[in-house]
Amino acid sequence: MKQVVLLSALFFCFTQSKSQTNSTNEIDSLLEKKITINQFCLCKTTLSNLQSSYKDLKETAIEEMDFGKRCGSGGDSRYTNGKGYYTEQYPGIIFQKDPNEGYISKFRLTKQFVGKLPDGTPINLNNLLLKDLIKQYPEPLFKWSSRGCSDYWTYTNDTISFFLKIDVNKKPQYPLDEAYYLNRPVDAIDVFISCYSVFNKNNSIQLFAPDEPMYFLDDIRTNKSFLENSGLTQNEIALVRVFKDSNAIRLGGKDAKNGLIYIYTKEFARDAYWNYFKLKSEDYKNSITSLEIEKKVTYILNDKVLEDNYEGDLYSINDDNFIELKVISKEQLKKDYKVSNKSFGVVIKSKDKK
């Protein structure tokens, strides 16, 4: 998506131009403690260090729990998304690299991890409940959040996140039932930092003004100035979600005190609902095998033929409101719905919006 590419390029060019001339490679001792697991410190450990020290180091795919299967493209610019490295000598730790440098900028701790968190708390992640940690990691220093397309609640601060699988049988999902999730298992832990920000403290710029809402474009945080100058037109937007007051803070934390605004482009929404429908229907998965073929589909949602500007409606379908989906042939599409210029029909039923 051109908007996401532009935003990623903005961060990439900025970090490249600054880090080449202003990096000090020094880390404050207090910060170092917050980003160290075992003897490994983020932004001090490099991929080449690991490769030379551990001959069994292997690359592995990794699920970014902040970005669920329905989130489409996008990710976190502080580390290389979806890819990490592991060694059998440190089970339960996956190392993820800074996207522009050789430094390790994130640890993913998995269910196999037995050891100490950065503050010294000993854990066995295989049987860890969030309530076991709440005294060491209290609110308001930590906040709850969850993207609309994610499968996890996140309990997080500036350097560590605890992920808890959303219980789809727990209704309603919102507002968050904190007492319930405190007794749920922690599925994974991320320890992370922006190595650029560590090495360029004196040359940082303020990307997000404190007096404006928190903006997300296709699930990547941006700012009002970027949106105004992006060239994004109304016709390219599928959906806008606006949250205010306590609802905004619940989802976005204290930075969302002036409101939280999610903007989704049609391209992003299309990619997301295509991936979601493939999970809900084998027939859809086997018939609509690419986004190019998806262009040949007519969608019928709750008996209404969708013709224009429907991407937001389809993106809004999730496990809370989805009922069923079936693929119909070109012949049946023409017979039942008088549509003759598409190759497939996809008939969807969902619950009415509340």
Side-chain angles (χ1 to χ4, degrees), residues 22 24 26-28 31 196-204:
N22 296 309
T24 64
E26 295 180 359
I27 299 178
D28 176 85
L31 175 60
Y196 170 79
S197 67
V198 170
F199 297 140
N200 297 270
K201 293 179 181 178
N202 296 328
N203 298 287
S204 61

Side-chain angles (χ1 to χ4, degrees), residues 166-270:
I166 293 173
D167 183 354
V168 296
N169 296 314
K170 178 80 170 68
K171 305 296 183 182
Q173 180 176 333
Y174 302 104
L176 169 72
D177 186 339
E178 291 191 29
Y180 177 79
Y181 279 97
L182 284 175
N183 287 281
R184 298 283 291 174
V186 176
D187 289 278
I189 300 172
D190 283 354
V191 180
F192 52 88
I193 196 75
S194 164
C195 292
Y196 170 79
S197 67
V198 170
F199 297 140
N200 297 270
K201 293 179 181 178
N202 296 328
N203 298 287
S204 61
I205 61 173
Q206 188 175 36
L207 291 175
F208 308 117
D211 58 348
E212 71 178 29
M214 178 183 281
Y215 291 96
F216 284 88
L217 175 61
D218 291 344
D219 278 331
I220 294 180
R221 189 174 178 186
T222 183
N223 56 40
K224 183 177 181 181
S225 177
F226 176 81
L227 290 170
E228 290 176 341
N229 292 284
S230 66
L232 186 65
T233 66
Q234 184 68 34
N235 192 50
E236 294 174 278
I237 296 174
L239 182 67
V240 177
R241 290 174 174 162
V242 179
F243 300 90
K244 298 180 180 180
D245 304 323
S246 60
N247 286 329
I249 295 172
R250 172 177 55 81
L251 293 171
K254 62 182 180 180
D255 288 348
K257 63 182 183 297
N258 296 312
L260 175 62
I261 301 174
Y262 288 102
I263 301 170
Y264 298 100
T265 64
K266 290 181 178 179
E267 185 177 356
F268 176 90
R270 181 171 169 248

